[in-house]
Amino acid sequence: MLERRGPVLVAHLDDGKANALSASMITSIDSAITEAENDDEIRALVIHGRPGRFSAGFDLSVMGGDDFAAIIRLVADGGALVHRLYGSSVPVVAACTGHAVAAGALILLGCDVRVGADLDAKIGLNEVAIRMVLPDWAFTIGVDRLSRRHLQRAIANARITTPAEAVDVGFLDEVAPAEHVLDRAVEVATEMATTLDPAAYAKTVEKLRGDVLTTMGDQVASDRASADTVG
C-alpha cells in the first residue's frame, strides 16, 4: 500500500506473514520507486515493514524448491531491486520494523538511511549458516556499505545482531522506539526532501555510487544469463 505524507511517498509492506521477498513483493517495491521518481511532488521514499517484520528474506516456497532456474531468477530479481534502490534518483529511507534477515538485510543496504525499531529482532546475513553463498551483487553492496571492521563477521561468519548492534555494523543508521519508527523515518525523509536539490542529489548518487552500481548491474545480468542456461 502506498501513502503520501507531504513530499514523501511511504510504501507499506505487509504480506500478513514474514514479508518474504517474493516476485510480487519485488514488483510492489519496484513500482513504488517508479512512482516516487516520476512524480515531481515526491522528493523521497520510505520503505516500511509490518509490525515485527521488515523482511525475512527471499520467498522460501521458491528457495526451498528444486526449480534451480526459478531460484536464480528470484535472486537476480532481488539483486535488480537492491541495485535500483541504491541508484534511485530520490532518497530512500527504510523504516525497519523488526527482523531483517538475508535479502531483508540486503534491502536495508540499498537504502540511504535506515531507521530500526529498538526491540528484540534479528538483523543480518545468515547465508553461510544455512549452507548458502551470497550472490556476487550482494558481496559488492555489502563491501560498499558495511563497516570494514565488521565485514568478516557480518558476511563470512553469518553474525546476526540486534537492531542496536546493527547500527555499528552498518545495516542501520539509528534505532527508535518501535512505535515511533515510521514517524522517525518519515521525518528523516522529509528533511532530505525539503533540503536536497533533486537534480544535484541524483547526479551525486551517480558519481558516488556509479562504479558499484555498474558492477552490481553486470553481476545481476550474469545471474540472469545463468538462469537461462539452467532453465
Side-chain angles (χ1 to χ4, degrees), residues 3-218:
E3 174 192 4
R4 291 175 180 243
R5 295 198 182 187
V8 176
L9 182 67
V10 181
H12 300 284
L13 311 180
D14 190 349
D15 65 1
K17 300 176 183 178
N19 269 0
L21 204 62
S22 61
S24 61
M25 183 71 79
I26 290 170
T27 298
S28 295
I29 301 173
D30 189 70
S31 296
I33 300 170
T34 297
E35 182 162 339
E37 290 182 334
N38 291 342
D39 189 331
D40 291 339
E41 295 183 358
I42 297 297
R43 298 290 183 86
L45 172 66
V46 169
I47 306 295
H48 174 232
R50 68 187 303 270
R53 302 284 190 277
F54 183 70
S55 175
F58 285 116
D59 185 356
L60 290 180
S61 69
V62 176
M63 300 301 290
D66 56 7
D67 186 340
F68 297 111
I71 293 171
I72 295 171
R73 289 191 186 99
L74 180 62
V75 173
D77 288 344
L81 177 63
V82 174
H83 177 272
R84 190 164 187 212
L85 285 167
Y86 205 40
S88 176
S89 61
V90 299
V92 182
V93 179
C96 182
T97 48
H99 301 303
V101 180
L106 293 169
I107 292 293
L108 293 178
L109 296 183
C111 299
D112 288 73
V113 181
R114 296 74 48 87
V115 181
D118 190 11
L119 44 70
D120 184 17
K122 298 177 180 180
I123 310 288
L125 300 170
N126 65 337
E127 277 76 3
V128 174
I130 57 174
R131 301 181 182 181
M132 296 180 66
V133 177
L134 283 169
D136 290 345
W137 58 264
F139 274 105
T140 298
I141 195 168
V143 170
D144 196 53
R145 296 228 63 190
L146 293 173
S147 164
R148 182 69 185 175
R149 185 165 58 88
H150 290 279
L151 199 58
Q152 167 71 28
R153 296 196 70 191
I155 295 181
N157 301 148
R159 180 174 179 246
I160 301 298
T161 70
T162 66
E165 293 169 330
V167 173
D168 196 38
V169 179
F171 288 111
L172 297 175
D173 293 289
E174 61 179 89
V175 293
E179 64 271 23
H180 299 312
V181 165
L182 177 57
D183 287 342
R184 175 56 183 157
V186 171
E187 180 183 20
V188 172
T190 300
E191 180 181 4
M192 290 193 288
T194 55
T195 61
L196 301 180
D197 177 79
Y201 173 81
K203 189 64 177 178
T204 299
V205 165
E206 181 182 330
K207 287 178 173 291
L208 182 65
R209 307 173 185 168
D211 290 345
V212 171
L213 289 167
T214 296
T215 299
M216 287 180 68
D218 291 343

